[in-house]
Amino acid sequence: NLLSFKAEEKISAIVAVKEFREDEYLVFATKQGLVKKTKVSAYGNPRKGGIVGIGLEKDDELIGVALSNGKEDVLLATHQGISLRFPEKMLRDMGRSAKGVRGINLDKKDYVVGMLVFAPDVDKTGAKLLSVCELGYAKRSDFADYRTQSRGGKGVINVKLTEKNGPVVTVLTVMDEDQIMVVTKQGMIVKSSPAEIRETGRSAVGVKLISLVKGDKVSSVAHVVTTEEE
């Protein structure tokens, strides 16, 4: 029992830090499209029962936290295939209990499913944006396809949703040499390489990543961490 949780509370993110520095930040994103940036040093004195990480509005929940140097770009992706990229400098430093500010203006019934924090010149590294949909489809795109916008806007199309691919489950930053693990709601697991997923434009439907049995859906996707021996 590592943490004392309230009823129905669950872990939404884990961030590894070597030290609680003044020049590093934690960037938070919520399901309802709010974002917040707070210095890592503000979390340097945790208590047994935990400390407040972010204040949440009623019916909202935390969906992602990432470490940043304060000069990154932030990309939010939604369930209905919309995304918005904005410079982190548009976020001012806030206290631990702050609720944050509007990151993306969501359509009715839409919600944020993923947040990525990355260097503005991420394309030079060869990294791609991987979007995975509920019915087993995925697409890999250049970050350059997602122009930088103002925080709080409506965003642009990330995935063209159809009856074939379904809503977006999550987004990841991937390299050709990476391996990912896809997990379905019925407990099926498939290991795959992002390099096998054809690169497509920003508003494409994507290609089949995993074949699902009737009624099954993709529930989560994660990087596979290889060992030094491998």
Side-chain angles (χ1 to χ4, degrees):
N1 186 19
L2 181 63
L3 300 169
S4 298
F5 277 180
K6 298 177 182 176
E8 299 182 1
E9 192 172 10
K10 61 182 181 180
I11 293 172
S12 62
I14 298 173
V15 180
V17 293
K18 291 183 179 180
E19 53 185 318
F20 295 91
R21 297 163 55 115
E22 284 282 334
D23 59 348
E24 289 186 331
Y25 300 85
L26 290 180
V27 180
F28 297 76
T30 77
K31 189 174 182 178
Q32 298 303 324
L34 296 181
V35 288
K36 189 192 79 158
K37 179 175 76 173
T38 302
K39 288 183 178 180
V40 172
S41 59
Y43 301 91
N45 296 301
R47 294 188 289 272
K48 185 177 180 180
I51 57 177
V52 174
I54 181 175
L56 290 173
E57 299 278 1
K58 186 180 179 181
D59 299 325
D60 201 0
E61 61 185 78
L62 188 64
I63 60 95
V65 185
L67 192 64
S68 167
N69 61 14
K71 303 173 184 177
E72 313 272 31
D73 277 3
V74 179
L75 185 141
L76 302 174
T78 80
H79 188 245
Q80 294 300 315
I82 301 298
S83 66
L84 189 142
R85 175 181 179 176
F86 64 89
E88 186 190 339
K89 63 184 180 183
M90 289 186 173
L91 295 176
R92 61 181 178 83
D93 178 24
M94 298 182 178
R96 283 192 297 104
S97 60
K99 296 179 180 179
V101 293
R102 177 63 52 193
I104 184 171
N105 188 358
L106 297 168
D107 287 338
K108 191 175 182 181
K109 295 184 179 180
D110 200 5
Y111 56 90
V112 177
V113 295
M115 174 189 70
L116 299 176
V117 176
F118 49 88
D121 61 350
V122 63
D123 289 289
K124 294 180 180 179
T125 68
K128 305 292 180 182
L129 173 62
L130 179 70
S131 303
V132 183
C133 296
E134 215 171 57
L135 299 182
Y137 277 69
K139 61 179 283 288
R140 198 165 51 112
S141 305
D142 288 332
F143 279 92
D145 291 342
Y146 300 79
R147 72 181 189 275
T148 302
Q149 298 178 277
S150 296
R151 174 185 61 76
K154 297 287 289 186
V156 297
I157 294 175
N158 173 35
V159 180
K160 182 180 179 181
L161 299 189
T162 67
E163 292 182 357
K164 184 167 68 172
N165 60 358
V168 178
V169 174
T170 191
V171 290
L172 294 173
T173 302
V174 296
M175 305 286 287
D176 284 351
E177 60 269 25
D178 287 349
Q179 294 286 314
I180 58 171
M181 192 82 77
V182 183
V183 184
T184 76
K185 291 187 176 180
Q186 293 187 17
M188 299 300 294
I189 296 177
V190 171
K191 188 177 179 182
S192 179
S193 169
E196 298 171 358
I197 302 168
R198 187 178 74 248
E199 279 191 50
T200 55
R202 181 171 49 76
S203 58
V205 174
V207 296
K208 184 172 284 190
L209 177 64
I210 178 175
S211 296
L212 301 172
V213 299
K214 188 176 180 180
D216 201 5
K217 295 178 180 179
V218 174
S219 62
S220 62
V221 185
H223 285 102
V224 177
V225 180
T226 57
T227 65
E228 289 294 330
E229 288 75 22
E230 290 175 336

